[in-house]
Amino acid sequence: MKRRQFLTLPLIGVPLYFARELSGQGREQRSNLKVKTPVVVSTWDSGIKANNAAWPILEKKGRSLDAVEAAGRASEDEPSCCVGLQAWPDRDGRVTLDASIMEGDGGCGSVSFLERIRHPVSVARKVMETTPHVLLSGEGAQAFAVANGFPLEDGRLSPDAEKEWRKWLEKSNYKPIVNIENRSSWPPADAGGSELAPPYRFDDGSFNHDTMATVALDSCGKMAGMVTTSGMAFKMRGRVGDSPIIGAGMFVDNEAGAAVSSGVGEEVIRICGTHTVVEQMRMGRTPEQACREAVRRIVKRDPAKARELQVGFLAISKKGEIGAFAVQKGFTYSVTNAEWPKGKVFESKSYF
Ligand code: ASP
């Protein structure tokens, strides 16, 4: 494909029929889920592992900020298509990472287009705690990380990422895939370009997953959130998604609640997604109603396009109610607290 053609390709996911194929892992759906606090909630089934890193902190009455950072670091250490240095690269074969972290009192930090640093979420926290800024990007973010003791890694692609990138180069097609984690079979029967999609499981049997995002409410009633991602696989070099944009991929306010998103970041940025969700909770909506409203705005803008992409929002209110809503079926989230110390996975409701 010529570069020009690539640039005019819309940012769409797989067709709806495929989305249906992927959906319905038979997870419980709950409206108005009110849970015991402290609690940690992460996107996707793999959120269980992220929560496992966060829960011991919350259980010992630790800070929600420490808990979400631990969740992010655990995700960044795991091999996956979509988080950390082992993730899939941009179209030029370089892994560029985005991350953000926020506390419910408005403290926040983020990094975008960060290369060769293993723990972007911790760099984001450093930005928050030691600089007058909110967002550092690219070379500057990397230099800041190195100056603060984060090792500069070698920048080689993981064998899996190398293999998939080479496969992608054969067609150079760009189609974000909905619900990378929750596909019911691999390869799907009629995937419409799915040869470009990440595998549901790696060769060693471990699960692949999407962007990881976590929110926590600690025993002092304080909230925090984080998002960490390599963004859309095979994106244009320089592309930054919603994850490091405060109020798009993540927003936290102790007076109302916290929200995170996963999916096509451009759609989330356009509606200031998670800020919208938190403001809806402030006005009295439940987390699920608030997430539904954000999804409705995405769909309303371009209903035909919305049928072919995925965005999921996940939220927690200051009272400890949890809710989610997605454009397509198949968006899941993991909840860990004293009631479910090993975590429990729920499936979000969806527009389509
Ligand atoms: N939201 C992320 C982005 O647009 C991608 C994802 O959630 O998978 O970069």
Side-chain angles (χ1 to χ4, degrees):
M1 169 174 288
K2 293 197 185 96
R3 179 177 163 77
R4 190 158 195 88
Q5 280 173 291
F6 169 81
L7 290 172
T8 56
L9 268 181
L11 288 175
I12 55 173
V14 290
L16 179 62
Y17 61 81
F18 182 35
R20 287 209 178 105
E21 274 288 298
L22 306 182
S23 70
Q25 304 296 298
R27 301 289 188 187
E28 195 181 335
Q29 285 185 338
R30 285 257 205 114
S31 292
N32 305 320
L33 177 62
K34 172 95 171 75
V35 297
K36 278 196 185 125
T37 59
V39 62
V40 55
V41 193
S42 294
T43 49
W44 307 107
D45 297 37
S46 319
I48 295 274
K49 284 193 192 163
N51 290 358
N52 284 345
W55 176 240
I57 296 169
L58 293 174
E59 197 182 15
K60 289 186 208 108
K61 302 196 187 314
R63 274 174 87 181
S64 50
L65 183 70
D66 294 330
V68 298
E69 184 188 8
R73 290 176 70 93
S75 300
E76 288 162 356
D77 278 337
E78 257 186 55
S80 87
C81 60
C82 308
V83 177
L85 287 178
Q86 301 177 71
W88 294 11
D90 64 15
R91 61 197 307 248
D92 292 6
R94 313 257 290 266
V95 176
T96 68
L97 303 174
D98 297 336
S100 60
I101 196 162
M102 185 167 191
E103 284 194 287
D105 66 358
C108 53
S110 58
V111 288
S112 68
F113 196 50
L114 178 62
E115 295 179 78
R116 297 174 57 190
I117 299 290
R118 185 167 181 164
H119 287 303
V121 71
S122 295
V123 185
R125 181 168 176 174
K126 270 272 180 252
V127 172
M128 171 176 113
E129 291 180 333
T130 69
T131 81
H133 306 304
V134 167
L135 170 57
L136 291 184
S137 190
E139 263 177 45
Q142 189 189 69
F144 170 79
V146 171
N148 280 281
F150 292 85
L152 191 61
E153 310 291 341
D154 63 21
R156 270 202 304 266
L157 293 181
S158 70
D160 176 72
E162 177 84 36
K163 188 176 84 188
E164 297 300 333
W165 178 57
R166 300 233 166 260
K167 211 193 295 174
W168 177 82
L169 281 176
E170 287 164 20
K171 292 190 182 168
S172 301
N173 195 3
Y174 180 55
K175 277 194 170 188
I177 304 298
V178 299
N179 302 331
I180 280 164
E181 179 170 307
N182 285 332
R183 52 189 68 249
S184 49
S185 60
W186 185 261
D190 186 3
S194 66
E195 71 275 16
L196 306 171
Y200 176 47
R201 281 178 191 248
F202 290 108
D203 293 346
D204 69 0
S206 62
F207 283 97
N208 206 342
H209 60 72
D210 228 298
T211 291
M212 292 305 298
T214 301
V215 288
L217 175 53
D218 65 26
S219 48
C220 298
K222 299 231 161 106
M223 295 186 167
M226 80 85 209
V227 187
T228 183
T229 187
S230 55
M232 294 294 187
F234 317 129
K235 60 196 175 185
M236 284 178 69
R237 183 147 179 82
R239 181 266 186 189
V240 171
D242 58 324
S243 309
I245 311 293
I246 302 297
M250 191 253 308
F251 194 69
V252 186
D253 185 336
N254 284 334
E255 289 183 358
V260 288
S261 72
S262 184
V264 178
E266 283 73 4
E267 301 302 320
V268 178
I269 292 171
R270 283 190 186 102
I271 63 149
C272 296
T274 54
H275 184 259
T276 295
V277 173
V278 171
E279 290 311 299
Q280 293 290 317
M281 288 194 285
R282 197 191 309 278
M283 291 188 300
R285 287 194 157 157
T286 66
E288 183 184 305
Q289 287 167 345
C291 293
R292 182 191 287 259
E293 170 59 18
V295 165
R296 188 191 67 78
R297 292 184 195 187
I298 290 174
V299 176
K300 186 174 166 227
R301 207 187 132 255
D302 190 339
K305 186 176 172 195
R307 284 187 166 272
E308 301 189 335
L309 59 84
Q310 175 64 309
V311 170
F313 292 102
L314 170 63
I316 180 167
S317 73
K318 64 176 180 185
K319 293 182 268 183
E321 302 147 326
I322 295 165
F325 206 80
V327 176
Q328 313 282 349
K329 291 186 172 63
F331 178 52
T332 58
Y333 57 98
S334 304
V335 180
T336 302
N337 65 357
E339 192 182 349
W340 298 303
K342 292 194 183 343
K344 182 165 167 64
V345 181
F346 295 90
E347 182 168 355
S348 149
K349 291 186 182 161
S350 62
Y351 191 94
F352 293 115

